[in-house]
């Protein structure tokens, strides 16, 4: 991984809608570039609620490349796709069922399976993607991530064993127990997040102010502030935030 800090840009918009629209424009430009270079693009989506506005904004852009875009997920809850908490369910409702993505290009984490089996299956799918692209590691052209109030990103939570190289498994996806939630989650591992060609961090709302400030100020080690992983990302990292995430209410 690159040891030097990649250039991070911070773009502050007046509202969550403007932040989402700016992020959507950047994502489409990055996908267009990947498509013109290789004829296909790999977009990894985030879960939670913030991406809903982003997905809405993506459906409103005149982007013709969707049939050649592969969709991946940074993490997933251990629930079936039709569950209200499912990230792929949210993505289908807000984006995938509204643009011309090919169903066979949607690579979801199988939240309905036993977590370890789902993680293993996804690792194999990611491994096949990397091999097909002649790479030793799966590289997302665009990786979208959010930020939790505790500084987590994807499902890499503070204190996760995935955050320390000594205890991290040599896999591209993992099943993790999240004590703070009392449940298991499925997540890409740090090495895949850091390998992305471009990272889009979308953070909006006053309840993210403290976490955003702590991450940008590097107020604690990665083990306590997992989103700091992106400081050693291979690709450029662009933060799209709104004024409330920066200044509070
Ligand atoms: C998830 C996400 C998670 C999310 C943050 C922010 O599955 O919940 O991948 O990392 O990005 O928790 O969530 P909100 O957008 O709901 O605030």
């Amino acid at each position: 991984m690159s040891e030097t800090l990649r250039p991070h840009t911070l773009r502050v918009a007046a509202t969550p809608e403007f932040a989402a629209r700016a992020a959507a424009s950047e994502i489409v430009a990055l996908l267009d570039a990947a498509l013109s270079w290789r004829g296909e693009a790999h977009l990894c989506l985030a879960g939670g609620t913030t991406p809903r506005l982003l997905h809405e904004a993506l459906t409103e852009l005149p982007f013709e490349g969707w049939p050649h875009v592969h969709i991946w997920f940074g993490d997933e809850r251990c629930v079936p796709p039709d569950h209200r908490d499912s990230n792929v369910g949210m993505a289908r409702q807000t984006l995938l069922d509204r643009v011309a993505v090919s169903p066979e290009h949607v690579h979801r984490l199988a939240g309905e399976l036993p977590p370890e089996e789902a993680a293993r299956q996804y690792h194999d799918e990611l491994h096949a993607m990397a091999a097909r692209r002649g790479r030793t590691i799966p590289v997302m052209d665009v990786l979208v991530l959010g930020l939790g109030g505790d500084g987590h990103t994807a499902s890499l939570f503070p204190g996760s064993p995935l955050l320390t190289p000594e205890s991290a498994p040599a896999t591209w996806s993992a099943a993790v127990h999240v004590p703070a939630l009392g449940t298991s989650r499925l997540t890409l591992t740090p090495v895949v997040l850091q390998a992305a060609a471009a990272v889009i961090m979308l953070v909006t709302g006053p309840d993210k102010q403290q976490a955003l400030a702590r991450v940008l100020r590097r107020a604690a080690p990665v083990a306590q502030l997992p989103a700091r992983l992106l400081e050693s990302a291979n690709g450029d990292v662009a933060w799209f935030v709104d004024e409330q995430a920066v200044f509070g209410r």
Side-chain angles (χ1 to χ4, degrees), residues 140-224:
M140 300 296 172
D141 295 296
V142 184
L143 168 67
V144 182
L145 289 171
L147 177 68
D150 58 0
H152 80 262
T153 194
S155 280
L156 300 170
F157 286 79
S160 171
L162 296 177
L163 297 168
T164 47
E166 306 74 52
S167 56
T171 61
W172 308 140
S173 57
V176 290
H177 179 66
V178 184
L181 301 178
T183 182
S184 294
R185 286 280 189 92
L186 299 165
T187 187
L188 294 185
T189 51
V191 66
V192 179
L193 302 190
Q194 291 172 320
V199 181
I200 303 286
M201 301 292 301
L202 181 61
V203 183
T204 59
D207 59 339
K208 300 296 174 73
Q209 182 195 14
Q210 186 187 27
L212 179 62
R214 294 187 72 227
V215 170
L216 295 180
R217 279 203 315 260
R218 304 187 181 114
V222 165
Q224 294 159 38

Side-chain angles (χ1 to χ4, degrees), residues 9-244:
T9 57
L10 179 69
R11 304 183 197 183
V12 184
T15 66
E17 292 76 11
F18 288 159
R21 282 185 212 151
S25 297
E26 179 75 6
I27 288 167
V28 163
L30 290 164
L31 292 175
D32 264 334
L35 289 172
S36 61
W37 191 28
R38 272 192 306 276
E40 68 173 30
H42 294 259
L43 167 63
C44 188
L45 299 176
T49 56
T50 304
R52 287 177 172 272
L53 285 176
L54 172 67
H55 296 173
E56 183 71 32
L58 284 169
T59 64
E60 292 163 358
L61 290 176
F63 174 57
E64 303 294 321
W66 287 117
H68 310 290
V69 175
H70 289 254
I71 301 290
W72 301 85
F73 292 85
D75 70 334
E76 185 57 277
R77 289 80 181 282
C78 293
V79 295
D82 59 356
H83 189 281
R84 68 178 180 285
D85 291 343
S86 167
N87 286 340
V88 68
M90 182 273 285
R92 281 176 176 158
Q93 180 198 11
T94 58
L95 175 62
L96 304 181
D97 290 350
R98 302 169 61 187
V99 295
V101 165
S102 306
E104 67 274 13
H105 287 174
V106 177
H107 311 276
R108 69 179 183 90
L109 280 147
E112 69 278 16
L113 293 181
E116 295 296 340
E117 183 182 339
R120 206 171 25 257
Q121 271 190 11
Y122 214 55
H123 172 88
D124 293 345
E125 204 166 349
L126 288 161
H127 184 75
M129 178 259 252
R132 202 161 51 79
R133 304 182 90 189
R135 293 175 181 268
T136 56
I137 186 169
V139 174
M140 300 296 172
D141 295 296
V142 184
L143 168 67
V144 182
L145 289 171
L147 177 68
D150 58 0
H152 80 262
T153 194
S155 280
L156 300 170
F157 286 79
S160 171
L162 296 177
L163 297 168
T164 47
E166 306 74 52
S167 56
T171 61
W172 308 140
S173 57
V176 290
H177 179 66
V178 184
L181 301 178
T183 182
S184 294
R185 286 280 189 92
L186 299 165
T187 187
L188 294 185
T189 51
V191 66
V192 179
L193 302 190
Q194 291 172 320
V199 181
I200 303 286
M201 301 292 301
L202 181 61
V203 183
T204 59
D207 59 339
K208 300 296 174 73
Q209 182 195 14
Q210 186 187 27
L212 179 62
R214 294 187 72 227
V215 170
L216 295 180
R217 279 203 315 260
R218 304 187 181 114
V222 165
Q224 294 159 38
L225 274 179
R228 286 197 57 199
L229 279 168
L230 284 311
E231 290 171 20
S232 51
N234 264 358
D236 290 337
V237 181
W239 292 76
F240 291 84
V241 304
D242 73 334
E243 290 177 355
Q244 287 195 326

